[in-house]
Amino acid sequence: MRGVTKKLSGRTRISLGALCGLLAGYAALAVAELVSAAVRPEAGPVTAVGGAAIDRTPVTLKDWAIRHFGTHDKLVLQIGILAVLAVLALLLGVLALRHRRAGAGGVLAFGVVGALAATARPDSHSAMDALPSVLGAVAGAVLLYWLVGRLPGVRPSTRRVAGGGGWDRRAFMLAATAAAAASTAAGLLGRVLNSTSERADASRAKVVLPRPASPAAPVPKAAYLQLPGLSPLFTPNSDFYRVDTALVVPKVDATTWRLKIHGQGVTAPRTVTFDDLVQGRAGELIERDITLACVSNEVGGPYVGNARWIGVRLADLLKECGVRPPSRGGPADQLVARSVDGVTIGSPVEAVLDGRDAMLAIGMNGRPLPFAHGFPVRMVVPGLYGYVSACKWIEDIELTTFAAYDAYWVQRSWSQQAPVKTQSRIDTPRTPARLKRGTVMVAGVAWAQHRGIERVEVRIDDGPWRRADLAAEDSVDTWRLWSYPWQATPGSHTLTVRATDGTGATQTEERTPTVPNGATGRHSVEVTVA
Ligand SMILES: Nc1nc2c(c(=O)[nH]1)N[C@H]1C(S)=C(S)[C@@H](COP(=O)(O)O)O[C@H]1N2
Ligand SMILES: [Mo]
């Protein structure tokens, strides 16, 4: 007799069936990963299904995810998808014990789902995007059919029947191990190929940021304030918050990048290259310090940062294309920016052309834009939340009306118009600090982009509002650092902050949620003094 023949207990059979399912699922994803490297990294089934899930996630759940997982929200989603797939693969494996064809067919069905998701993505321009899912599923289905066939009692081959329902355990384990190893190799190779986007990397490495025709005004020394726990005036790129829908950060080759400007009232449509921007052929290069804020930021939250941007003044470019603001008879009141991954962001044309430093940014804190922050080009408009102004990986600008088109986030219940709300945050101390009596430096940031911050006040418990010491203003578009030396007394205390903007309006006490156009309310921290 060849190999070890022995009857399997029901439970062992089920475990082995489940193992076959898992291996098949693993092989399917690995092959899909490898194929996606040849097609397009974003066409992989997990990325495609994840992207579709993000687009369909109810706003409250998305907001909750951003709040709880922050920048890890996407990782959590991917792990979730993999966990669901693992369970389904186990079940298909067990099903295949009885119905080998049905099990394999189930794997193919998942391939169809992945293929549909991949080709339906807004950034999909080719039916080729179905290939990773389809080929992955075929590999998984074939493997499942074949592996399960080596288990006893599954459409037994005449030879094994002769063996008396026994099975060749060693041969099975060898086959399973070989399948796992081959899948791992394919998956890793795919990963490596997918993570190297040589052209985009090379194009970014080659960028030499131009000298701006209009440099930023020198930052007053007194605008800086350094205290332990306090945000720096400029947020380093590596610490800058990131909020977007991209499961795979788009890696765009700057040398082939193009931006198309067209639409209502665009009398001279134009396509600009990265070189046009760098050489100043698309408008004056300006350098400005602008604080960016996310509408999903809770009171006291982390989704706000300040950077020095270099870019082309958007108003110059738009005027050259013939665009006029609505107040001067222009037909379009909405500028819709579209990114390479299909996300659209709608900004008021009036705001973009009203003299503020709206720009097509190519530099962030002295470096080309990081890929995660929109390389090669993104929009920045002071005074508007990111979701209505700061399109990353921009490739198209269309002039239209708010009546005619709802941009990505607006379709998901956020407001069409969203100027940044005046906010202030206590960076130090943080709940639940335990402090020593005596002088405690309370410090933080306050922002009201394009209106400026005029005053920041701090209140201890229910006491009177006291003026904090404001660091000097860099510009009306940047946040201001502040501090307040507090004589801490023993006990539990609540410290609260409020800001007043350049128009004299004080931040409201009323608590509103982030949806639909930004949270209001005051930030406070709880501390205990011993
Ligand atoms: N293409 C694209 N651009 C985008 C987004 C996005 O999801 N896709 N998110 C916007 C949102 S909601 C914000 S707050 C800012 C965040 O920019 P950052 O990630 O560079 O901080 O980018 C904006 N631009
Ligand atoms: Mo945002």
Side-chain angles (χ1 to χ4, degrees), residues 240-245 294 339 345 373 378 390 392-393 409:
F240 210 94
Y241 81 91
R242 178 183 159 210
V243 172
D244 56 57
T245 64
C294 181
S339 69
I345 286 187
H373 295 288
R378 77 176 304 168
K392 306 195 272 191
W393 316 294
W409 303 96

Side-chain angles (χ1 to χ4, degrees), residues 66 241 243-244 293-297 303 385-388 409:
I66 288 177
Y241 81 91
V243 172
D244 56 57
C294 181
V295 72
S296 292
N297 197 35
Y303 303 131
Y385 283 119
Y387 87 101
V388 288
W409 303 96

Side-chain angles (χ1 to χ4, degrees), residues 155-191:
R155 217 198 73 186
S157 72
T158 36
R159 232 181 345 159
R160 289 221 185 84
V161 167
W167 70 306
D168 191 336
R169 183 168 178 274
R170 226 172 55 112
F172 174 82
M173 284 305 170
L174 208 65
T177 309
S183 302
T184 303
L188 284 179
L189 180 61
R191 267 281 134 113

Side-chain angles (χ1 to χ4, degrees), residues 298-315:
E298 287 287 308
V299 173
Y303 303 131
V304 54
N306 184 46
R308 169 159 293 191
W309 309 91
I310 291 180
V312 162
R313 188 184 282 124
L314 190 50

